[in-house]
Amino acid sequence: MPPIPPLGYPMEMTKPSDAELCERAVQAIWRSLDEHDLVDEQVRQELARVLEPLTALPLGDRPQRLINTLKLPNPIDASHLYWLTRRLLTLVPELQATAMARKL
């Protein structure tokens, strides 16, 4: 799986919009799920970094709960992995809707 781009913003670049943050998170979620890499602690750490800016959006505590679970050390328990996968899948449509709303 290719690495997820870092969230650092060079001085000459502007901070991504909320819509871009949502789109980046959706792509990172799909990439992680497609590769079945959530069992890899490094992949979970990278995904947690991508989701971090979402805590500022009106999504309740869900992004933070996902981040906390993503940061669990290996080996991740099967029940946590199942919960994490389900929550990531249910968050995707909401992130897509948020991205579309913020583009208008």
Side-chain angles (χ1 to χ4, degrees):
M1 179 170 109
I4 297 169
L7 286 178
Y9 311 109
M11 294 297 284
E12 65 274 8
M13 294 183 67
T14 59
K15 180 181 172 194
S17 69
D18 291 346
E20 290 168 328
L21 291 173
C22 290
E23 289 172 0
R24 183 181 294 168
V26 168
Q27 290 171 357
I29 290 167
W30 282 127
R31 201 169 29 251
S32 297
L33 293 175
D34 284 346
E35 297 292 326
H36 306 288
D37 280 340
L38 289 178
V39 294
D40 184 304
E41 187 173 8
Q42 181 179 351
V43 171
R44 290 194 317 273
Q45 295 296 324
E46 290 175 13
L47 186 53
R49 281 192 293 277
V50 171
L51 296 180
E52 193 72 41
L54 301 180
T55 59
L57 299 179
L59 298 168
D61 68 343
R62 285 169 295 163
Q64 190 60 55
R65 290 179 62 205
L66 286 166
I67 291 165
N68 292 344
T69 304
L70 284 163
K71 289 182 176 181
L72 290 173
N74 276 344
I76 188 168
D77 183 79
S79 64
H80 286 118
L81 189 58
Y82 176 77
W83 180 90
L84 180 60
T85 302
R86 298 284 297 163
R87 293 311 172 271
L88 288 169
L89 286 171
T90 59
L91 185 62
V92 165
E94 190 167 350
L95 289 174
Q96 290 170 325
T98 300
M100 291 303 295
R102 299 213 181 241
K103 282 183 180 179
L104 300 177

